[in-house]
Amino acid sequence: MTNLPKDLKQLRQDDHPPVVHFAVLDKLLNLGRANSLWPMTFGLACCAIEMMATGASRFDLDRFGAGVFRPAPKQSDVMIVAGTISRKMAPAIVTLYEQMPHPKWVIAMGNCAISGGPFVFDGQYGIVEGADRIIPVDVYIPGCPPRPEALIEGLLKLEEQLTGSRRFPRVDPEAAP
Amino acid sequence: MSGYFKEIFDGGKSLLVGLGITFKQMIQPVVTERYPRTAPKMPPRYRGHIDLVRDEEGNNKCIACGMCQRNCPTGCITIKGEKPEGAKKKVLTFYRLDFTTCSLCGICVESCPTDALEFSKEYNLAGYSAGDFVFDLLKRCEERRR
């Protein structure tokens, strides 16, 4: 079993920054990456049901180029940690993350992946309290579980982080028709 | 030899059946919700994170009794209230909701004696840090007032 860090400190976001930068080429590559974020087929708990719903025809992640769920970490760009991380599963997640080629991103989907959610209490021993304790996380999506729209919003946030601008309009839930 | 032609026939038939389904779907209405361009309306009982209810004057109805804080199974609510000089009732001064540990069970909403809590319609939250989802509900309530 891997030794999990005990402190609450969040891990660094990019643990392997590129050695050589090409200004314009990097921007172009990031534009390509942002519009083809291939996630890994990887669900841990009930949030994975919402992730599947997002990939299906009603919400259709393919509209954002992110619907190609890859069965192998070698082929994927983004890991959607959807669900509770048990201490027994944690080493497998770290292995899968390390098997993904750079550049790679992690989305923590749902309250369990963000902080352990309802499983956090004094003396609990079975749950990792947040994906950011074991791997660096880029985007957090709260909810129990989050709606498919929230997952789409999270992917758009990741796109925004990569390209520096938002391609799609923002949605204000209070002002919805 | 007969098995060979049967295989070709069966394969061709299954291809046509599959394409038939594809063409049938093609002329049916579109089911995809074009999310960032059109936003869905949440049903009345949708559970977003909790929010303070405003009364007619735009004030919150909270009496700072602490029932929600005590009943929360994950302890994601922290409230503070104080009694101003000469006043009869306690006034809410601080309401923090740590949405990252909330499981939307609704016990806080149910246990509130003055019905001061409601579920919001926030359904598309996402951010770059977990701290973005620790809400100050009192501030949110005042922001909505404006």
Side-chain angles (χ1 to χ4, degrees):
Chain A
M1 184 167 262
T2 49
N3 290 320
L4 303 174
K6 287 218 170 60
D7 54 339
L8 287 163
K9 204 168 73 261
Q10 196 180 313
L11 291 174
R12 273 183 301 144
Q13 301 248 312
D14 195 358
D15 50 349
H16 289 86
V19 181
V20 185
H21 283 277
F22 302 97
V24 183
L25 181 66
D26 262 0
K27 273 187 189 163
L28 202 65
L29 281 176
N30 276 337
L31 194 66
R33 284 165 186 155
N35 291 296
S36 66
L37 290 167
W38 290 6
M40 192 153 65
T41 316
F42 181 58
L44 291 170
C46 30
C47 281
I49 302 291
E50 295 295 304
M51 188 174 70
M52 289 174 226
T54 319
S57 47
R58 182 168 166 205
F59 296 98
D60 202 7
L61 264 183
D62 284 308
R63 292 179 296 147
F64 310 98
V68 205
F69 282 87
R70 304 315 297 180
K74 273 187 203 171
Q75 302 164 350
S76 43
D77 303 308
V78 54
M79 180 192 238
I80 303 175
V81 184
T84 322
I85 305 165
S86 61
R87 206 160 265 262
K88 205 167 182 178
M89 190 66 195
I93 293 171
V94 174
T95 310
L96 284 172
Y97 176 75
E98 282 168 358
Q99 281 175 343
M100 282 162 65
H102 280 279
K104 55 190 172 185
W105 300 276
V106 176
I107 294 178
M109 180 186 183
N111 287 347
C112 297
I114 294 176
S115 69
F119 302 103
V120 179
F121 55 88
D122 282 341
Q124 69 90 7
Y125 53 85
I127 300 296
V128 177
E129 293 176 7
D132 51 13
R133 300 273 186 99
I134 49 173
I135 47 177
V137 175
D138 292 286
V139 174
Y140 297 80
I141 308 169
C144 195
R147 271 185 68 90
E149 285 94 353
L151 180 55
I152 293 173
E153 193 69 28
L155 281 162
L156 295 185
K157 283 259 179 205
L158 196 55
E159 280 185 22
E160 209 178 323
Q161 193 191 44
L162 285 172
T163 58
S165 64
R166 193 178 162 103
R167 207 157 63 92
F168 291 93
R170 278 172 213 282
V171 176
D172 183 14
E174 303 288 333
Chain B
M1 199 63 195
S2 65
Y4 177 75
F5 285 110
K6 192 179 177 298
E7 242 172 53
I8 291 178
F9 179 73
D10 285 352
K13 197 183 156 196
S14 73
L15 183 72
L16 287 179
V17 168
L19 277 177
I21 292 169
T22 308
F23 281 117
K24 222 184 271 169
Q25 290 293 323
M26 235 169 78
I27 52 168
Q28 260 158 26
V30 178
V31 291
T32 305
E33 185 185 273
R34 293 175 178 78
Y35 161 66
R37 308 213 185 272
T38 60
K41 176 147 177 61
M42 288 297 118
R45 292 184 65 183
Y46 175 71
R47 290 184 180 189
H49 68 78
I50 53 166
D51 238 342
L52 288 167
V53 176
R54 288 182 310 158
D55 59 9
E56 292 79 40
E57 289 111 58
N59 300 316
N60 64 67
K61 287 156 63 177
C62 181
I63 52 169
C65 63
M67 285 294 270
C68 45
Q69 184 182 354
R70 227 173 305 153
N71 281 326
C72 182
T74 54
C76 57
I77 299 170
T78 314
I79 73 166
K80 275 179 200 153
E82 61 176 27
K83 214 180 220 177
E85 216 43 56
K88 268 186 182 164
K89 278 181 181 170
K90 264 174 126 182
V91 177
L92 184 70
T93 53
F94 179 74
Y95 199 119
R96 195 189 67 193
L97 168 72
D98 184 1
F99 187 48
T100 61
T101 56
C102 176
S103 61
L104 297 168
C105 62
I107 292 176
C108 46
V109 177
E110 260 176 51
S111 67
C112 186
T114 55
D115 292 331
L117 289 173
E118 64 176 354
F119 288 113
S120 68
K121 297 273 179 284
E122 294 274 1
Y123 63 88
N124 57 353
L125 292 168
Y128 297 122
S129 85
D132 293 356
F133 310 112
V134 180
F135 298 112
D136 188 343
L137 293 192
L138 202 59
K139 208 190 259 173
R140 267 180 67 92
C141 187
E142 266 155 29
E143 267 167 20
R144 282 188 300 164
R145 203 160 153 184
R146 271 178 261 123

